[in-house]
């Protein structure tokens, strides 16, 4: 099947407005929003202003025969769009323009949009659970939950949107659930799950094999790295055990369980003795070496450094107060679209914020960004 552009994917979204009241097409409004957010828009009025300043350029991509909708219209229409439909369109677009490779790490994690918390109305902040390609630094899909504790329900829904065959899906301890592991395996991928107190018996069994007493005496596969910088030394020790018999009946709770491992992280300030040692346990359906375990777990945290951080710094996401019904969720998806497009543009060697400013100054550069992953 031929790959579709983002606009072709978006065109299938049902327009919830009464047809006789429509002055601006839904595709035009969504495209306007995507382009404006790429160029640094953070709210509805910013989007309207961008449209007014760039109307002739926008007509290269859409109709805009009635000009630019006012910000109240943009907000109302984006709020009416089905968030689930927009998420499915986003994921389908990413399947078309991003080919996952065998062994690729797909990190799944949640992020709370702090600015959407409304104390007066006692409304909790929006919490988005996203899948992130560590190698290519792009968002592959996302779903909204009412709060962080609901990630367990949201992750299977997100997995259903993704094409992850052959990948390693990494999730923190909250996602260490049998049904999530089964979902990943059934999608043709491998899981790598952090183990913590929510799986108490499993954690206790692993800690009998891997603990501070065995860090120097372990005779199996072990891998050590040491990094120096800013007056600190970071030592990481990874160890794996492919024979899961020591878990007894617990091993049967996890489909295709092939590796149990641990990563010790030790930070030393200058010449001082290390004060603390962080210990994280993992289970995986993949047959991982100690080196591969360490690299995969470190790749997982790229979702914090390369996605969450850039959304806050580049798009000021945590300050965004848009939360009305589906509007906040849909705005978050558009930010993910913009992040992916800005990341994919490599001709200008600058950070997200610099690229946004350049796109705001130059229609030619903005067109180059939009062409990069088949927007139009």
């Amino acid at each position: 099947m031929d790959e579709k552009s983002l606009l072709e994917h978006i065109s299938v979204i049902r327009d919830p407005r009464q047809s006789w009241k429509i002055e601006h097409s839904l595709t035009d409004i969504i495209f306007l929003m995507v382009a404006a957010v790429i160029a640094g828009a953070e709210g509805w009025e910013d989007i309207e202003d961008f449209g007014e300043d760039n109307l002739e350029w926008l007509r290269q991509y859409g109709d805009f025969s009635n000009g630019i909708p006012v910000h109240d219209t943009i907000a109302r229409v984006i709020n009416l769009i089905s968030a689930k439909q927009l998420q499915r369109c986003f994921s389908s677009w990413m399947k078309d323009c991003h080919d996952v490779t065998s062994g690729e790490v797909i990190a799944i994690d949640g992020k709370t949009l702090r600015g959407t918390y409304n104390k007066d109305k006692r409304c909790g902040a929006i919490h988005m659970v996203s899948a992130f390609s560590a190698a290519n630094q792009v968002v592959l899909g996302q779903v909204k939950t009412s709060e962080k504790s609901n990630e367990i329900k949201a992750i299977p829904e997100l997995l259903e949107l993704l094409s992850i065959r052959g990948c390693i899906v990494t999730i923190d301890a909250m996602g260490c659930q049998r049904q999530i592991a089964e979902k990943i395996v059934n999608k043709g991928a491998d899981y790598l799950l952090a183990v913590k107190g929510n799986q108490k018996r499993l954690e206790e069994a692993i800690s009998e094999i891997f603990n501070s007493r065995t860090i120097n005496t372990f005779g199996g596969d072990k891998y050590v790295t040491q990094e120096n910088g800013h007056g600190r030394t970071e030592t990481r020790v990874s160890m794996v055990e492919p024979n899961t018999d020591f878990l007894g009946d617990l091993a049967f709770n996890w489909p295709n369980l092939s590796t149990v491992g641990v990563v010790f992280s030790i930070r030393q300030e200058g010449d001082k003795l290390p004060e603390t040692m962080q210990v994280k346990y993992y289970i995986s359906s993949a047959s991982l070496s100690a080196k591969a375990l360490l690299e995969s777990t470190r790749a997982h945290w790229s979702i914090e450094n390369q996605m969450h951080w850039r959304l806050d710094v580049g798009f000021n996401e945590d300050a965004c107060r848009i939360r009305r019904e589906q509007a906040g969720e849909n705005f978050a998806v558009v930010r993910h679209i913009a992040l992916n497009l800005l990341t994919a543009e490599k001709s200008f060697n600058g950070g997200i914020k610099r690229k946004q400013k350049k796109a705001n100054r130059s229609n030619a550069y903005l067109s180059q960004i939009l062409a990069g992953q088949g927007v139009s």
Side-chain angles (χ1 to χ4, degrees), residues 262-279:
V262 64
V263 175
F264 297 97
S265 299
I266 306 161
R267 174 179 290 187
Q268 183 176 0
E269 298 283 347
D271 296 328
K272 297 178 182 178
L273 291 174
E275 294 182 1
T276 59
M277 179 171 64
Q278 188 180 57
V279 183

Side-chain angles (χ1 to χ4, degrees), residues 238-252:
S238 172
M239 300 187 291
V240 297
E241 176 54 68
N243 186 347
T244 61
D245 291 346
F246 73 93
L247 293 177
D249 292 343
L250 288 173
F252 296 105

Side-chain angles (χ1 to χ4, degrees), residues 144-178:
K144 172 193 168 188
T145 68
S146 56
E147 54 189 23
K148 183 174 177 61
S149 60
N150 286 344
E151 283 187 20
I152 294 172
K153 295 179 180 178
I155 291 171
E157 182 182 345
L158 174 58
L159 289 168
E160 193 60 39
L161 297 174
L162 305 176
S163 175
I164 56 174
R165 181 171 295 277
C167 297
I168 297 175
V169 179
T170 63
I171 314 176
D172 64 17
M174 184 173 286
C176 188
Q177 305 288 331
R178 177 190 173 94

